[in-house]
Amino acid sequence: MEQDVRSKSEQPNRYEHLLERTLFKGRWLLAPFFVGLLLAIVLLLLKFFKQLYVMTITALSATNQELLIGILTLVDTALLAGLLIIIIFSGYENFVSKLNVEPQEDKPTWMGKVGFSGLKIKLISAIVAISAVELLKVFIHSHELTSEQLAWKVGIHITFVISGVLFSVTDFINSRTHSH
């Protein structure tokens, strides 16, 4: 009789434990997303070299503006690839598993140290930088756009900047609140 009572009370714990283990292992469902982002970097690399090739064969006949646009496109592509690396490493380490790589001389200093809060700040910083490069490209061709189109592009960029500042302020307040 006592064993029946004990087995009934232990049974929900067994189901709860199974559910929790399943949920915990479910974090691995995120791993394919990070592999997909790695493949996206390969696509960016192809786009980068295509742009570099086009710039190389047209460099002598291109205007300074065209060359500058090409260079800004390369910078934009490199920034986006760097952003994806940050998301891949930080996302994997924050949500899936720690990266077990041997200590390496060229390992980025932020690797293994960027929490979710730091990831948000790095993400918004990269988005603001990419937006700034895009805005610079727009201003080079500003004569082709209406004032309203320019205003929208500047407004969107300012929205990114304000969002970044607000994320930083929120993170600062959060760190001060939890440190006391």
Side-chain angles (χ1 to χ4, degrees):
M1 174 97 172
E2 185 178 313
Q3 190 167 8
D4 281 344
V5 170
R6 190 170 17 146
S7 66
K8 285 182 182 178
S9 67
E10 288 175 7
Q11 206 165 17
N13 287 340
R14 187 171 7 143
Y15 293 130
E16 182 180 354
H17 182 68
L18 177 63
L19 175 63
E20 289 171 356
R21 283 185 49 208
T22 302
L23 290 174
F24 184 71
K25 290 182 186 285
R27 74 192 190 283
W28 284 97
L29 293 172
L30 292 173
F33 289 99
F34 299 119
V35 172
L37 290 177
L38 192 60
L39 293 175
I41 293 175
V42 172
L43 297 176
L44 283 173
L45 185 64
L46 292 174
K47 180 184 176 211
F48 182 90
F49 279 114
K50 178 185 174 195
Q51 177 69 26
L52 189 60
Y53 172 75
V54 168
M55 285 177 55
T56 303
I57 61 173
T58 61
L60 296 176
S61 62
T63 66
N64 284 345
Q65 282 188 338
E66 291 169 337
L67 196 56
L68 182 57
I69 293 287
I71 292 168
L72 289 173
T73 301
L74 294 177
V75 169
D76 199 23
T77 306
L79 285 171
L80 184 54
L83 172 63
L84 288 175
I85 283 292
I86 291 169
I87 292 170
I88 292 167
F89 286 170
S90 299
Y92 185 85
E93 285 201 329
N94 281 303
F95 302 113
V96 180
S97 180
K98 293 291 178 205
L99 287 169
N100 293 321
V101 292
E102 308 82 46
Q104 295 186 14
E105 205 174 289
D106 61 347
K107 182 178 174 181
T109 56
W110 56 265
M111 210 172 134
K113 298 176 185 157
V114 177
F116 188 64
S117 178
L119 177 59
K120 287 189 302 186
I121 298 299
K122 286 188 179 301
L123 179 65
I124 196 68
S125 298
I127 289 171
V128 168
I130 291 167
S131 175
V133 169
E134 285 298 316
L135 193 57
L136 186 56
K137 289 189 326 190
V138 164
F139 277 120
I140 291 172
H141 289 291
S142 62
H143 60 279
E144 298 172 6
L145 300 171
T146 66
S147 296
E148 184 179 353
Q149 289 172 318
L150 285 172
W152 273 106
K153 293 186 183 294
V154 170
I156 291 169
H157 177 70
I158 289 172
T159 301
F160 286 141
V161 171
I162 291 170
S163 297
V165 170
L166 290 175
F167 270 125
S168 297
V169 168
T170 304
D171 188 52
F172 175 75
I173 291 169
N174 191 33
S175 70
R176 301 286 291 173
T177 309
H178 288 110
S179 66
H180 293 306

